Structure formats: structure tokens, C-alpha cells
């Protein structure tokens, strides 16, 4: 029986002083995920707390910033099977 590919939200960034380190860690997670098992998408939280959903694997990619509520709704619209928080510091 073939395994289905699971959608995984990689959550990076955040308002802590560890924001940039979180982006680096998230890039490493994305680079090493087995794409035969996982279909990742990025959720980047800015230092001001806005949520962004960049296209593809570009953690730094342009994306419209969203409020917390709109960001959560967008996350639910993406229907992840797994949420992988890669946030460091106070809010991680």
C-alpha cells in the first residue's frame, strides 16, 4: 500500500530576538524533508507578528502580510496534516 504525501506547515520567524535563527533553521528543515513523504509550505511570522505565506520553499519570499486571525484562517485553508513549529525564543 502506498503512503500518502502529508502536507506540513513549517512555521518560522516570530517576534523574538531569535527571528533570523528561526528562518535559518526552517530553511534547513525544508532542505532536508523527504518530498516523497511530505509536501511542505512555509508560514513566516514577522517580527511585528504578521503572518505570511511565501510561495514555494523561499522562506524570505514576498508574501502579503496578514493579521493573526487572517493568518490562522489561511493556515486552516491550506489544510495541513502536520504543523512543524521552528520558532525560537520567547514565542517558540
Amino acid at each position: 500500500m502506498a503512503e500518502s504525501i502529508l502536507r506540513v506547515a513549517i512555521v518560522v520567524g516570530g517576534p523574538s530576538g531569535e527571528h533570523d535563527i528561526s528562518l535559518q533553521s526552517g530553511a534547513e528543515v525544508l532542505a532536508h524533508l523527504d518530498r516523497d513523504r511530505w509536501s511542505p509550505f512555509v508560514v513566516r511570522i514577522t517580527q511585528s507578528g504578521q503572518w505570511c505565506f511565501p510561495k514555494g520553499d523561499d522562506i524570505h519570499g514576498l508574501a502579503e502580510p496578514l493579521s493573526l486571525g487572517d493568518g490562522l484562517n489561511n493556515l486552516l485553508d491550506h489544510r495541513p496534516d502536520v504543523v512543524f513549529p521552528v520558532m525560537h525564543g520567547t514565542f517558540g
Side-chain angles (χ1 to χ4, degrees):
M1 181 166 94
E3 292 184 38
S4 63
I5 296 176
L6 299 177
R7 292 191 43 76
V8 57
I10 308 296
V11 183
V12 299
S16 82
E18 300 292 320
H19 177 89
D20 292 338
I21 300 299
S22 171
L23 297 182
Q24 291 175 5
S25 297
E28 288 296 316
V29 169
L30 281 167
H32 292 91
L33 277 177
D34 179 352
R35 301 303 172 100
D36 290 332
R37 297 185 64 200
W38 304 101
S39 175
F41 64 94
V42 174
V43 180
R44 185 182 71 231
I45 301 175
T46 67
Q47 288 181 300
S48 63
Q50 293 179 303
W51 290 44
C52 301
F53 293 79
K55 301 289 183 216
D57 288 355
D58 184 5
I59 284 180
H60 300 281
L62 296 176
E64 178 184 350
L66 303 170
S67 67
L68 171 62
D70 289 341
L72 287 171
N73 285 331
N74 196 325
L75 175 63
L76 293 174
D77 288 345
H78 277 82
R79 303 183 58 85
D81 297 297
V82 176
V83 176
F84 190 139
V86 191
M87 295 173 60
H88 304 290
T90 306
F91 298 97

